[in-house]
Every structure is written in C-alpha cells, then in structure tokens.
Amino acid sequence: MRNQIDLLATVTVLGVLEQAYFVLQVIYARRKFKISPPETTGHPEFERIFRAQVNCSEYFPIFVSLLWVAGIFFHQGAAAASGLLYLCARLQYFHGYARAPHGRLGPLYASARLLWLLLGLAVAGLLGHFLPLGAAAAAALGGRLRLLLGAP
C-alpha cells in the first residue's frame, strides 16, 4: 500500500515544509521591521511578505485535498508531478510578491492552472470510479498516462 501513496505523501510533506518556510519569513520580517503580533501593517515589505504567506496558506487545504483525490483516484504520478509544479509556482509567487506586488502575477496564474489541472484529474478519477463508461475511459487514459510516465 505504501508504494501506492508514497509520492503523494512526499509532496504533502514538502508542502508542509514550504508552509513552514513562509511562516518563518513572516517571523523574520516582523523582527526586521519591529512589528509585533498581532499587528499586520507597517513597512510595505513586511505587508507584502505577510500577505504572500496568508495567500499561500489559504490555498493549501484546497491543494492537499485535490492532490490526494487526484492521486488516489486518477494517477499518483500525475498528481505528484502536478503537485511539485504547484509548490514551485507558489514559492515563486511568494518571492515575487515579497519583492513587488506585480511579481506575483505570473506564478499566481501558473499555480491556479495547476489547481485546475488537479481538479480535472480528481474529477476524471472519481467519474472513472463511479461510472462504468467513465471507468473505461479513465482506464484507457490512465494506461496512456502510465506509458508516458514510464510506470508499470
């Protein structure tokens, strides 16, 4: 069973570590600009770092849910690869937003597209699980995807 979810678990732990990194950046910015909790305003750089962290944490439950549903019901490799790309996009988003507000836009759009992809994989997997016609189509698509990914 573990080999059926190992990639999903790895991406999940990487996502949690990324969230911890974002929180640490807020802590460092609070110290740098002398902004004590619960204050959330102050120096513009602090506000951007704080906002980037909050934005990333708002989407994290959606990401983890879609990652696991897509990985279990569609294909673990496809979901994990999409998840890794999502985490990279969110890291770029965070750093882009910390530098300047317009620096977040490209990575924001990329991460949104990846969430839509994970949603599509999750829905396709669930349809394949619950509908007989969907199962045949999902199996055929899953077989082609396994060939592309080099999985047995």
Side-chain angles (χ1 to χ4, degrees):
M1 162 132 175
R2 287 185 187 169
N3 63 343
Q4 295 173 342
I5 59 168
D6 56 348
L7 298 176
L8 300 175
T10 301
V11 173
T12 300
V13 170
L14 289 172
V16 169
L17 291 172
E18 183 178 67
Q19 291 297 309
Y21 169 76
F22 296 155
V23 169
L24 288 173
Q25 297 311 300
V26 172
I27 291 169
Y28 297 146
R30 283 188 181 283
R31 289 179 184 159
K32 178 179 178 181
F33 299 111
K34 296 177 177 52
I35 300 171
S36 298
E39 294 297 321
T40 58
T41 58
H43 192 278
E45 185 179 345
F46 166 76
E47 290 181 10
R48 289 192 306 271
I49 291 169
F50 178 79
R51 197 64 230 150
Q53 182 270 323
V54 170
N55 288 351
C56 290
S57 68
E58 288 171 346
Y59 282 90
F60 192 67
I62 297 167
F63 162 68
V64 171
S65 301
L66 291 175
L67 173 73
W68 279 86
V69 174
I72 290 171
F73 287 94
F74 187 80
H75 188 275
Q76 178 186 207
S82 299
L84 281 176
L85 291 172
Y86 175 83
L87 293 177
C88 289
R90 288 315 268 190
L91 185 63
Q92 291 176 335
Y93 167 87
F94 183 87
H95 287 296
Y97 201 169
R99 283 190 297 276
H102 66 276
R104 75 189 195 285
L105 295 178
L108 174 67
Y109 299 143
S111 63
R113 284 191 291 271
L114 287 160
L115 281 179
W116 280 107
L117 173 61
L118 283 169
L119 177 62
L121 296 177
V123 169
L126 288 169
L127 286 174
H129 178 74
F130 288 111
L131 301 176
L133 279 179
L141 183 58
R144 289 185 183 141
L145 189 56
R146 281 192 263 296
L147 285 175
L148 287 173
L149 297 173

